Amino acid sequence: FWPPRALEGYWLPQRLRDFIIDRYGEDRLQLYVWLFSLVDRFAESTGSFDQSPECQRLVARASQLARTPVDGRPKASIIVPVYNNLLYTLTCVVSVLESAPSHSFEILIGDDGSTDATAEAIKAIGGLVKHVRHPANLGFLGNCNAVARRASGEHLVFLNNDTIVFSGWLDALVETLDQSP
């Protein structure tokens, strides 16, 4: 069953719950409840997340969704600069992949020398998700610029790793950029 059940007793704020149900339907609610519940559960103890079954589930799901190859140049390169915080990075990646944009894309994880399990987890996903590790910590802007040079998409989209996106987000951005370059 995907997604797994959320933490017992976890409840999204009512306005967010209503937004998800009204916009995307009841069937998508469980995914977002689960992602937000993971962030809530492990926020204070991110070190325990790396070895958890939840981490393994996120990597497996991301790997499953990232298999589809891009034919030719992707429409968008989604750049996610990171330094540790695998929990946030995986929830971000899974939310992007689950949002199923109609435009082709790649996800580039700019790893600024993480010391947690980021490198191993991102490499295990593969496919549309690429791990770009720098030999030294370049800082936020240096990381973003270095990864942007490796991107092959027509458009560059930068996301913080603590972002959880909803369906339609990338399509709306790309269509706006195409209409008003």
Side-chain angles (χ1 to χ4, degrees), residues 25-122:
E26 289 268 351
D27 56 324
R28 299 299 289 173
L29 181 62
Q30 186 62 29
L31 168 69
Y32 294 107
V33 170
W34 186 62
L35 292 175
F36 282 103
S37 73
L38 288 178
V39 170
D40 188 57
R41 176 179 173 194
F42 289 101
E44 299 299 319
S45 60
T46 55
S48 65
F49 173 74
D50 297 4
Q51 301 302 316
S52 72
E54 290 87 350
C55 180
Q56 294 169 0
R57 281 189 194 103
L58 282 171
V59 170
R61 182 61 176 171
S63 179
Q64 179 184 35
L65 293 170
R67 287 185 188 148
T68 308
V70 174
D71 292 330
R73 182 179 187 196
K75 191 71 172 171
S77 291
I78 302 166
I79 298 169
V80 183
V82 305
Y83 178 75
N84 291 330
N85 293 310
L86 179 59
L87 167 65
Y88 295 122
T89 302
L90 287 178
T91 54
C92 177
V93 167
V94 167
S95 75
V96 169
L97 294 167
E98 287 280 355
S99 72
S102 62
H103 295 287
S104 62
F105 65 94
E106 64 180 352
I107 301 173
L108 301 163
I109 305 298
D111 185 352
D112 226 0
S114 295
T115 57
D116 63 4
T118 294
E120 296 79 16
I122 300 305

